[in-house]
Amino acid sequence: DQVLMTVIALSHSNEDEDARSTAVQLLNGLAETLGKDLCRQFLGVELIALCEDPSFRVRKATAMNFVEVARVVGDDFLLKRLLPAYKGLVEDGHWEVRKAAAESLVGLASALQAEVGQKPILPLVHTMLSDRSAGVRHAAKQRLGYVL
């Protein structure tokens, strides 16, 4: 409990974007240990909030550290809560955030159960493949075969 509360406090550190970026990494790392219920209740909610952080560096760190939480929370939470937040990262105003989202695409796709398939992420793939940044498009193309 104390570790979780410390990490959540870090994620709310208004003046320190490095602390918030570190918190994102720790949230992702704690996912498997905490399990589905705590992940949904705390980690998923924190990740969703950090997707809208004012700092592009924090949003980039969030895009890169989505996967373990996505694997643990289950398809229902992933599809209804995390995927819309991830979509915001895919459409972010900063190209580095969008590129980080493209780079984490394979992990996110693997988090979806076989019965759900890849259909929910296909619109996001299309968005990445038509991005205005060549770096984002390139990152998406490199991962396309693993997703389809």
Side-chain angles (χ1 to χ4, degrees), residues 31-32 34-41 72-77:
E32 191 172 328
L34 293 178
K36 187 175 186 176
D37 292 337
L38 287 175
C39 234
R40 286 177 173 209
Q41 189 176 359
V72 173
V73 295
D75 285 341
D76 186 50
F77 191 92

Side-chain angles (χ1 to χ4, degrees), residues 34-107:
L34 293 178
K36 187 175 186 176
D37 292 337
L38 287 175
C39 234
R40 286 177 173 209
Q41 189 176 359
F42 294 106
L43 305 187
V45 173
E46 290 300 319
L47 273 185
I48 291 165
L50 289 164
C51 285
E52 298 179 7
D53 194 273
S55 166
F56 86 87
R57 287 178 183 85
V58 175
R59 296 191 311 274
K60 179 181 173 183
T62 304
M64 294 179 346
N65 287 283
F66 230 78
V67 176
E68 292 307 316
V69 173
R71 284 188 180 136
V72 173
V73 295
D75 285 341
D76 186 50
F77 191 92
L78 173 56
L79 293 171
K80 290 181 182 171
R81 304 283 309 277
L82 288 183
L83 210 53
Y86 183 81
K87 182 178 187 271
L89 298 171
V90 169
E91 298 171 348
D92 194 271
H94 200 284
W95 73 272
E96 288 184 57
V97 176
R98 297 191 311 273
K99 184 174 181 274
E103 290 169 348
S104 68
L105 182 63
V106 174

